[in-house]
């Protein structure tokens, strides 16, 4: 792989879907370049014609990799997993793989799309309540699922795509002032995961496009 | 597999996510039992305590299979694909697999969650416009993606999970009076796919719980 061009991640420091991909790259030990796409500035740089060719959904992330451009974070993560060495991001056992995908999709289809910037902007009033409602609804479902599947991490004792999805969603929950104390399994898993180096280096507080007042 | 219990699909005739799973079972030639969960009747049978233990998200589908219960249709479909013989639902080539997952997720994360019954009920007024807006936005993105990836089907010339997601989403688009004529690639793919037996037998118009006035 040494002669290959590095992947390029077009993302935004605070986007939970961009963060998922950054965690996957970090867990796999893959070097990549970042091109910031500011979702706020200039009315949203994801709306430019240039960016729309990379991702017609006008969302981050988009990843240039192996001569192709991929969007949708879970598709990117599974592509990385299937083409790169390093720790598996999905377990070998089919039932555990299904659990990992189920948990990932509860977040990626059941929660995140309903509280992302674009949708929140479409909701006239009660933006925060709307986001809280959908995060709470998702976490109420995740908590009993994770109680069944979790070991040290979301599914058993190996880090997986489910963990990659969980941590950025908990970060969003905190931003929207959801009381995470209500969800002891989610809280415990998140506390364990945020101490891991791959989750730390990919954190929104320390990306190239993190505004200086949000850096920690 | 002859001695194994048949999988049980808890679903609803008109749910696009239930239809996805029905198509997958049909493509693989897997016999299964259906337990209808009426999303309207009795205030929504998915909200019962009994159903909530099957799927804490209180959504359909939930699938009992191989001694476990799975929800999230794409997790179910990929589990079926990884554990059952029959035609592949995801291609062998990693780049094509990524494209299949990308297209599936544009629909399963980018469109369907924003126009499903629960969200539409939460939107006070302008329910139809809301749904139309998000379906149109998704189809505007899908059209150029599919123009790149499609052969006879969504990705090349083999039926995949992307096709399984596309047809039920086009069905929803028509229900919400989205003008599919604007999207020639989507229209062409859908027309080809709806003629295939696995898509026909799984259609909302001919399920055990289809009301008699909606049967065709």
């Amino acid at each position: 792989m040494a002669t290959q061009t590095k992947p390029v991640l077009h993302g935004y420091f605070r986007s939970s879907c961009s963060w998922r991909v950054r965690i996957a790259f970090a867990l796999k030990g893959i070097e990549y370049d970042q091109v910031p796409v500011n979702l706020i500035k200039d009315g949203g740089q994801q709306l430019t014609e240039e960016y729309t060719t990379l991702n017609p959904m006008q969302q981050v992330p988009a990843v240039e990799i192996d001569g192709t451009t991929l969007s949708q974070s879970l598709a990117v993560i599974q592509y990385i997993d299937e083409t790169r060495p390093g720790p598996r991001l999905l377990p070998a056992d089919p039932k555990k793989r299904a659990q990992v995908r189920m948990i990932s999709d509860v977040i990626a289809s059941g929660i995140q799309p309903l509280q992302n910037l674009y949708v929140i902007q479409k909701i006239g009033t009660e933006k925060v309540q709307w986001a809280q409602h959908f995060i709470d609804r998702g976490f109420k479902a995740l908590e009993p699922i994770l109680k069944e599947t979790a070991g040290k991490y979301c599914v058993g004792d190996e880090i997986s795509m489910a963990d990659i999805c969980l941590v950025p969603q908990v970060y969003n929950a905190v931003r929207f002032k959801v009381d995470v104390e209500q969800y002891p399994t989610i809280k415990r898993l998140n506390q364990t995961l945020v101490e891991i180096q791959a989750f730390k280096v990919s954190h929104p507080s320390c990306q190239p496009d993190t505004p200086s007042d949000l850096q920690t």
Side-chain angles (χ1 to χ4, degrees), chain A residues 23-34:
Chain A
I23 299 168
F25 277 137
L27 285 169
K28 286 284 200 182
I30 297 166
E31 286 192 32
Y32 63 102
D33 289 319
Q34 291 202 46

Side-chain angles (χ1 to χ4, degrees), chain A residues 89-111:
Chain A
L89 304 180
L90 277 86
D93 174 69
K95 272 189 201 172
K96 287 195 173 173
R97 291 166 75 80
Q99 289 173 337
V100 166
R101 290 196 180 109
M102 176 173 68
I103 294 162
S104 302
D105 283 344
V106 166
I107 296 169
S109 293
I111 306 176

Side-chain angles (χ1 to χ4, degrees), chain A residues 110-111 114-115 120 126-140 176-178 183:
Chain A
I111 306 176
L114 291 154
Q115 54 90 80
I120 292 296
E126 303 181 351
K127 293 175 200 297
V128 174
Q129 291 93 316
W130 173 276
Q132 282 175 345
H133 172 81
F134 283 103
I135 296 171
D136 262 323
R137 171 174 168 257
F139 279 13
K140 272 197 188 86
F176 285 113
K177 304 195 193 311
V178 168
Y183 313 106

